[in-house]
Amino acid sequence: MTHIVRHAPGSRSEAQLAADLQRDETRQLLSLLTQREAEVLEMVARGLGSKDIATALHLSVRTVDSHRAAIAAKPGTAAVAEQTRAWISLHP
């Protein structure tokens, strides 16, 4: 027997619920970042390299790389690509 599930008007689909859950998890991960780490991550998400970020923020490249390493060390943020997707998902 096949069951048909119909959503009531105004109800949210599974895809919408999953997207909301992903955004909530992303917000939680990003809340672990310092303000400077968030700035660095935003610039990484925009495609800037460490040297360009350092120039824009008046930091050394080594300091920017330290911030990037600190971001990667946060629980749940394993790779720059994942971090970039997280930032972009909250800032379309």
Side-chain angles (χ1 to χ4, degrees):
M1 174 180 213
T2 303
H3 289 50
I4 298 174
V5 177
R6 293 199 175 139
H7 294 281
S11 70
R12 295 161 20 140
S13 71
E14 286 184 34
Q16 289 170 322
L17 292 172
D20 288 346
L21 180 60
Q22 179 67 34
R23 276 191 293 279
D24 289 345
E25 289 174 356
T26 299
R27 282 188 184 100
Q28 185 177 8
L29 290 172
L30 295 178
S31 73
L32 299 173
L33 303 180
T34 66
Q35 182 177 348
R36 183 61 89 184
E37 290 168 350
E39 290 173 327
V40 169
L41 179 57
E42 176 183 353
M43 294 178 138
V44 168
R46 294 178 189 268
L48 298 174
S50 292
K51 186 175 179 182
D52 295 325
I53 295 169
T55 299
L57 297 178
H58 307 288
L59 301 171
S60 72
V61 173
R62 194 171 189 170
T63 298
V64 171
D65 289 341
S66 292
H67 287 304
R68 291 177 77 157
I71 294 165
K74 303 284 179 168
T77 56
V80 172
E82 179 183 339
Q83 297 157 16
T84 301
R85 283 192 300 277
W87 189 89
I88 289 171
S89 74
L90 292 178
H91 302 88

